[in-house]
């Protein structure tokens, strides 16, 4: 697991993360090569885990290759991955989701990603989200900015939107089922009734749309640390904010609210507004 921290996600980092970011990008290269080998394969081996989620041979192979590289080149660092759990130190911990969106992967739908983060003393400081099936990648490290690749082969710096009113905001709620199971359907209804546009884009992509300035809010429940750690570094460096549903700077709360920062408090207040019956005299 990952350690808890009292340090805000946006706090400065005293150190140079350049080599760590470069290494994270190399991990993504290795992961992309491995995952793409079996993408849309007709004989892909798919199994059901104890929690009823799916795992494929590609999930396992992709995490293994990243773990092997970390163990060889960063032997003092710890690892926390979706498929093979925790090992080593938690003060510097690589957090890995080899294929985020396995259900899409096994169906041949190209909306899946590899998620890579480096957490230092409980704060995600480096993040890479790689979506090789559509040729996209996003990356960031504290103090080094957030970036994405361009069609020309270069890099473009990311910045969240400057929209500061709900009626102009575009949001992604991921899935109705998540909010229903969390007992927050009324909050979802308040949210979608208050904004310009709402969609359930799903998985990692809407967080990256937020970092690019195309959305103002992403929220979901039933998330693990490896589902969101990479997003924290990227969105924070792009100028946004990521907390739990209750407004805490943590990746261990099983909920997440990511915004452009300007509207973060407004969204949290809206989500936690009491029902009309609770305010009636």
């Amino acid at each position: 697991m990952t350690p808890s921290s009292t340090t805000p996600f946006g706090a400065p980092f005293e150190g140079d993360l350049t080599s760590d970011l470069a290494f994270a990008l190399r991990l993504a290269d290795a992961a992309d090569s491995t995952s793409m080998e079996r993408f849309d394969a007709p004989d892909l081996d798919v199994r059901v885990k104890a929690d009823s989620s799916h795992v494929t041979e590609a999930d396992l192979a992709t995490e293994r290759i990243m773990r092997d590289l970390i163990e060889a080149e960063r032997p003092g660092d710890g690892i926390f991955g979706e498929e093979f759990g925790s090992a080593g130190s938690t003060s510097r911990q690589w957090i890995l989701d080899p294929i985020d969106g396995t259900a899409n992967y096994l169906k041949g739908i190209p909306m899946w990603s590899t998620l890579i983060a480096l957490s230092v003393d409980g704060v995600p400081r480096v993040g890479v989200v790689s979506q090789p099936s559509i040729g996209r990648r996003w990356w960031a490290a504290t103090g080094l900015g957030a970036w994405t690749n361009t069609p020309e082969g270069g890099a473009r710096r990311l910045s969240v939107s400057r929209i500061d009113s709900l009626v102009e905001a575009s949001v992604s709620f991921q899935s109705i089922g998540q909010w229903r199971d969390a007992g927050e359907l009324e909050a979802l209804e308040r949210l979608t009734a208050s904004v310009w546009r709402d969609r359930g884009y799903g998985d990692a992509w809407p967080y990256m749309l937020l970092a690019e300035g195309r959305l103002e809010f992403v929220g979901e429940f039933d998330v693990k640390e490896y589902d969101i750690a990479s997003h924290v570094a990227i969105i924070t460096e792009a100028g946004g904010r990521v907390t739990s549903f209750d407004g805490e700077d943590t990746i261990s709360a099983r909920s997440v609210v990511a915004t452009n920062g300007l509207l973060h408090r407004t969204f949290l207040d809206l989500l936690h507004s009491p029902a009309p019956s609770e305010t009636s005299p």
Side-chain angles (χ1 to χ4, degrees), residues 13 62 69 71 73 189:
F13 179 74
T62 301
L69 281 169
E71 289 167 0
E73 300 191 32
E189 290 174 355

Side-chain angles (χ1 to χ4, degrees), residues 104-123:
N104 283 340
Y105 184 94
L106 64 87
K107 295 288 285 185
I109 298 170
M111 302 311 293
W112 52 271
S113 308
T114 292
L115 312 182
I116 301 164
L118 173 64
S119 173
V120 181
D121 296 327
V123 178

Side-chain angles (χ1 to χ4, degrees), residues 45-56 106:
D45 182 37
V46 182
R47 302 175 188 177
V48 179
K49 296 191 285 189
D51 64 358
S52 299
S53 65
H54 292 89
V55 62
T56 73
L106 64 87

Side-chain angles (χ1 to χ4, degrees), residues 19 21 34 40 58-59 61 86 123 213 215 250 267:
S19 65
L21 179 56
T34 304
D40 209 20
D59 292 84
S86 300
V123 178
L215 296 177
T250 177
F267 276 120

Side-chain angles (χ1 to χ4, degrees), residues 171-194:
V171 309
S172 175
F173 55 81
Q174 299 289 56
S175 84
I176 293 173
Q178 285 183 346
W179 290 70
R180 181 192 61 236
D181 293 346
E184 296 293 350
L185 267 184
E186 288 186 359
L188 179 60
E189 290 174 355
R190 287 195 300 275
L191 172 69
T192 57
S194 301

Side-chain angles (χ1 to χ4, degrees), residues 111-181:
M111 302 311 293
W112 52 271
S113 308
T114 292
L115 312 182
I116 301 164
L118 173 64
S119 173
V120 181
D121 296 327
V123 178
R125 294 296 190 179
V126 174
V128 177
V129 173
S130 194
Q131 209 163 337
S133 57
I134 62 170
R136 293 299 309 276
R137 184 178 289 183
W138 301 263
W139 63 93
T142 304
L144 300 177
W147 306 82
T148 189
N149 59 327
T150 67
E152 298 75 26
R156 175 174 61 85
R157 189 157 190 164
L158 301 178
S159 180
V160 295
S161 82
R162 304 303 297 170
I163 288 176
D164 61 1
S165 67
L166 288 177
V167 295
E168 297 178 84
S170 184
V171 309
S172 175
F173 55 81
Q174 299 289 56
S175 84
I176 293 173
Q178 285 183 346
W179 290 70
R180 181 192 61 236
D181 293 346

Side-chain angles (χ1 to χ4, degrees), residues 20-29 31-32 66 94-98 100 113-118 124-131 136-141 147 204 208 226-235:
D20 291 313
L21 179 56
F23 181 62
L25 291 168
R26 287 177 50 221
L27 290 177
D29 290 341
D32 290 353
M66 290 192 289
W94 294 92
I95 305 175
L96 311 173
D97 190 342
D100 179 59
S113 308
T114 292
L115 312 182
I116 301 164
L118 173 64
R125 294 296 190 179
V126 174
V128 177
V129 173
S130 194
Q131 209 163 337
R136 293 299 309 276
R137 184 178 289 183
W138 301 263
W139 63 93
W147 306 82
M208 300 303 99
Y226 44 73
D227 293 315
I228 57 175
S230 60
H231 309 341
V232 171
I234 295 169
I235 291 171

